[in-house]
Amino acid sequence: GYVIINASKIVRASYGTKYVYLVGNKGEYCQFQASYNSVNEVVLLGDSLTALGSGYANFFDVNGCGRTPFGVGGEKPTQIMGRVGIAPFRLKEDVVIPSEPTAVSIGLISSFDNKETYPRKNYGLHECTIGGIKGSINVTTAGSAVTFTRSVSGEEVVLKEGTDVESCYYGKTNTFNVYWMGQNGYGSDDELVDAFKLCVANQVTNYYLVLTPHLNTSDELEQKMQRVFGNRYINMRRWC
């Protein structure tokens, strides 16, 4: 559990060997009472709010752990989850992968809602695997077009529609994950809650927080998040 302290704004988060603190401008906002001896990296997953250089990402001032801002500006939950393999991108149609490492345009859909979706950057997909072929995704037009290039030469292969794009991120252990999604839109409150639930269900670490946007939000969404995630949920509209 955690202890809420009187604070009107979160200043930073600090991770020690036994506790995680979200520190407010009037004191500690919350203290998670668990052992974090096995944690060696804090991963911030989301949009621009968790991107490298973001002032919000700087809340997470890690003590003794590496910090990886994995956010991409402008992305929606399906794009975020696709990049890190929580709800993988899938091939929209069959695609021929040539024998040589040559860039090939590919169409993608989200396995979360089966809608055509593309990442805005290739974080998590700079090393990936499609149908057993290792390679990399390159974003040619942010949010609307990508290519795939195999890593090494081999036989020409036809990859079938619906094949998953396996992210290099998926399956990381010994991390403390911070999920912060929804600022750039989402289908409905229930869909966003389901997206967060999927993030938590698919992680291979026991340590996480889920955060809703400080702007694109509602009382109804925040109440649902509180019911589902309890003390692992932070209502950022209240604290930013």
Side-chain angles (χ1 to χ4, degrees):
Y2 65 79
V3 180
I4 297 179
I5 307 298
N6 181 25
S8 60
K9 183 178 180 180
I10 296 175
V11 177
R12 69 184 187 278
S14 296
Y15 300 79
T17 57
K18 293 185 178 180
Y19 303 101
V20 56
Y21 306 94
L22 295 187
V23 182
N25 62 347
K26 295 182 181 178
E28 295 165 8
Y29 163 56
C30 60
Q31 172 181 295
F32 285 85
Q33 299 175 1
S35 172
Y36 295 99
N37 291 330
S38 62
V39 172
N40 57 28
E41 181 181 9
V42 177
V43 180
L44 311 178
L45 298 162
D47 49 40
S48 61
L49 299 177
T50 56
L52 181 66
S54 164
Y56 292 105
N58 290 335
F59 285 151
F60 299 92
D61 179 21
V62 183
N63 179 21
C65 297
R67 180 180 66 180
T68 304
F70 227 62
V72 172
E75 285 198 334
K76 297 181 179 180
T78 51
Q79 295 168 302
I80 297 163
M81 293 189 295
R83 279 193 298 104
V84 300
I86 292 170
F89 291 115
R90 289 175 176 163
L91 293 181
K92 181 184 175 184
E93 61 270 316
D94 293 357
V95 60
V96 177
I97 303 300
S99 58
E100 297 299 319
T102 304
V104 178
S105 295
I106 59 174
L108 298 176
I109 62 172
S110 167
S111 59
F112 182 75
D113 60 9
N114 292 317
K115 295 180 180 178
E116 188 170 10
T117 310
Y118 297 89
R120 295 184 60 82
K121 290 186 178 180
N122 69 345
Y123 297 168
L125 300 172
H126 57 288
E127 295 178 3
C128 62
T129 303
I130 310 178
I133 306 298
K134 293 184 178 181
S136 61
I137 295 282
N138 181 52
V139 177
T140 53
T141 304
S144 62
V146 299
T147 61
F148 175 74
T149 305
R150 69 187 304 162
S151 298
V152 298
S153 299
E155 294 184 1
E156 180 177 289
V157 177
V158 178
L159 298 179
K160 294 298 185 179
E161 172 187 346
T163 303
D164 283 355
V165 178
E166 301 174 32
S167 165
C168 66
Y169 171 80
Y170 185 73
K172 276 197 171 186
T173 59
N174 300 328
T175 63
F176 190 105
N177 293 344
V178 178
Y179 303 102
W180 195 355
M181 304 186 296
Q183 187 62 36
N184 298 299
Y186 47 90
S188 68
D189 288 355
D190 286 340
E191 287 180 357
L192 184 57
V193 172
D194 285 345
F196 280 114
K197 288 167 67 176
L198 188 61
C199 290
V200 171
N202 281 272
Q203 65 179 17
V204 288
T205 175
N206 293 322
Y207 311 123
Y208 68 91
L209 291 174
V210 293
L211 288 65
T212 45
H214 58 299
L215 296 176
N216 189 23
T217 185
S218 66
D219 292 339
E220 292 78 11
L221 170 63
E222 293 159 359
Q223 290 165 6
K224 289 179 180 179
M225 291 289 291
Q226 185 66 55
R227 287 196 298 270
V228 172
F229 297 104
N231 63 10
R232 296 290 182 147
Y233 166 60
I234 303 297
N235 177 351
M236 292 304 288
R237 178 168 63 155
R238 179 180 178 187
W239 300 101
C240 288

